[in-house]
Amino acid sequence: VKAFHYADVRKEMDIVYRTIGTRELLIDVFTPIQQGTARTAVIMIHGGGWRSGSRIQHYPMAERLAHLGYVCFTPEYRLSTEALFPASVYDIKAAIRWVRVHASAYHVDTSRIVIAGFSSGGEMAAFMATTGDMPLFDGPGANPRVSTGVDALIDIDGILTFTGPESGESTDTAGRISAGTYWLGYNEKQSPGLWIAASPLTYVSARTPPTLFVNSSVARMHAGRDAYISMLNRHHVYTEVHHFDDATHSFPLFYPWFDPMMDYIDGFLRKIFP
């Protein structure tokens, strides 16, 4: 999917949202040009196994969302080649706080902040949704008194647990170290508690927001999803699942899946934020 360049969408690129020493982390903002009432915000986290990838890959999604009337933010974060877990968690928490602080400038309704992500970004989005305002993971930085809670989650093929038979991240071999091991710094045998602590499934509660899952046909990318949904059902939290039987893991970046995926996202958000 190529960039759309909608005439009714304004783009503000490469804004510094967090500084760690001399390292500046950047965020892009896609807004509808026509301003009306306060809008729903979507913070979109890119994938890449916590080790690669770029926020650029989701510019088409951000443009489409802004064209549909949402304000979309695409932050970068420190990858595992630069800093281990929970550094990137701290980064995205800082991005959530930044969006809240700058809400009025972008006509954002702070009661409608959505966290979304694809692949490892989906896992991170789920982590944000389940650990909002949790001091252990909110991290240092600017605006410490600003909430890191979110009001909805969109998880696009992101795992919910690093442990158990469903997860492919827990398997290291002589010829392959998993992306999870690279991100966490230890494999599951070396630090099982860390792998549990890094799993969004560990923190699901009645405070977890409504959740949309959009999934491929790759079973391991659904790890923990059914248990997550079961827990939300017990707390009467709304969940919605859409599954592409013919899709590879990279489906959000390609046609013919992009358009129906965007329809699912728009439909979900209009349902929970009527």
Side-chain angles (χ1 to χ4, degrees), residues 9-243:
V9 172
R10 179 184 294 113
K11 307 173 191 178
E12 297 182 43
M13 317 302 280
D14 300 330
I15 303 167
V16 176
Y17 79 87
R18 188 180 192 207
T19 303
I20 308 105
T22 60
R23 176 72 157 95
E24 294 182 334
L25 292 172
L26 306 178
I27 194 168
D28 310 307
V29 188
F30 299 76
T31 57
I33 287 176
Q34 184 176 359
Q35 296 296 344
T37 57
R39 299 180 184 274
T40 299
V42 181
I43 303 169
M44 182 66 200
I45 310 171
H46 73 79
W50 308 276
R51 192 169 179 81
S52 63
S54 167
R55 68 195 194 279
I56 294 172
Q57 71 189 33
H58 293 305
Y59 283 178
M61 184 182 296
E63 289 173 317
R64 175 67 65 82
L65 286 167
H67 178 64
L68 291 171
Y70 304 96
V71 182
C72 192
F73 301 85
T74 55
E76 71 169 331
Y77 56 90
R78 287 172 291 172
L79 303 172
S80 64
T81 51
E82 181 177 356
L84 300 181
F85 172 88
S88 54
V89 169
Y90 294 162
D91 295 341
I92 300 301
K93 296 273 191 174
I96 295 169
R97 292 196 293 261
W98 187 91
V99 168
R100 288 190 176 279
V101 168
H102 294 86
S104 61
Y106 297 108
H107 300 275
V108 165
D109 182 342
T110 56
S111 69
R112 293 185 288 164
I113 293 181
V114 181
I115 195 76
F118 164 56
S119 191
S120 57
E123 183 278 330
M124 289 181 64
F127 198 89
M128 302 301 133
T130 54
T131 63
D133 296 323
M134 186 178 289
L136 178 63
F137 294 115
D138 273 358
N143 311 305
R145 293 181 177 84
V146 176
S147 173
T148 59
V150 295
D151 305 293
L153 163 64
I154 300 168
D155 181 351
I156 306 170
D157 237 21
I159 65 172
L160 283 305
T161 181
F162 284 101
T163 64
E166 291 180 290
S167 177
E169 295 301 333
S170 58
T171 304
D172 288 349
T173 65
R176 176 187 176 274
I177 297 175
S178 77
T181 298
Y182 277 125
W183 188 44
L184 300 175
Y186 300 89
N187 64 36
E188 187 179 7
K189 290 183 179 179
Q190 292 170 326
S191 186
L194 177 62
W195 282 59
I196 294 170
S199 298
L201 185 62
T202 302
Y203 309 101
V204 177
S205 71
R207 297 178 66 246
T208 303
T211 300
L212 168 66
F213 293 102
V214 186
N215 288 122
S216 71
S217 59
V218 183
R220 71 181 182 86
M221 303 314 302
H222 314 163
R225 184 191 66 186
D226 292 345
Y228 186 105
I229 292 172
S230 177
M231 294 173 73
L232 288 190
N233 286 343
R234 289 201 298 271
H235 294 299
H236 306 289
V237 176
Y238 180 74
T239 61
E240 190 173 309
V241 180
H242 296 281
H243 188 274

